[in-house]
Amino acid sequence: MKQLTAVIQPFRLDDVRDALNDINIHGMTVSEVKGFSRQKGHTELYRGAEYMIDFLPKIQLDIVLTDEMVEPAIEAICGAAKSGRIGDGKIFVKPIEHVIRIRTGEIDESAV
């Protein structure tokens, strides 16, 4: 099993969720986060004063998947989140050792 973490633009969330639903991935955790990479930040004016906005709003998706679903999920997210401009986001894939569904006691792949 793997944990896929995707950091995407906030306005792409609905498209990404729909693309994942289309390949039967229905469970995920969504968090509002802030960050920057090559996109850096930008400057804004507020009441005549200039402020540097270093961290930009992003959406982080955390999804635990079986090994065979990782590549289709990556393709779905990339297809739905890609605009071709800087700041589209990143995807990280990490191994998961153990999963337990608290309500039923199911473990590992049956708990996903």
Side-chain angles (χ1 to χ4, degrees):
M1 288 181 301
K2 304 280 192 242
Q3 178 179 355
L4 188 146
T5 299
V7 180
I8 62 170
Q9 294 280 5
F11 63 91
R12 296 284 185 179
L13 176 59
D14 289 336
D15 294 336
V16 170
R17 184 185 60 211
D18 292 344
L20 291 170
N21 276 331
D22 290 346
I23 60 169
N24 293 319
I25 296 174
H26 305 292
M28 67 186 78
T29 301
V30 178
S31 305
E32 293 180 3
V33 297
K34 292 184 179 188
F36 74 94
S37 182
R38 291 186 183 153
Q39 192 176 11
K40 307 285 190 249
H42 62 276
T43 306
E44 288 187 3
L45 285 174
Y46 179 71
R47 295 187 178 195
E50 195 171 274
Y51 292 93
M52 183 64 181
I53 308 298
D54 292 329
F55 296 100
L56 302 172
K58 302 285 183 178
I59 294 293
Q60 179 175 312
L61 305 174
D62 289 303
I63 309 164
V64 176
L65 302 164
T66 59
D67 290 343
E68 61 269 5
M69 288 303 295
V70 171
E71 287 304 317
I74 290 171
E75 290 173 15
I77 292 168
C78 287
K82 183 177 181 179
S83 71
R85 295 189 309 264
I86 196 165
D88 279 347
K90 290 193 169 93
I91 298 174
F92 307 95
V93 180
K94 301 173 268 192
I96 295 292
E97 292 183 27
H98 207 48
V99 177
I100 301 163
R101 186 183 310 264
I102 295 171
R103 178 179 54 87
T104 63
E106 293 171 287
I107 59 170
D108 296 335
E109 290 188 9
S110 61
V112 176

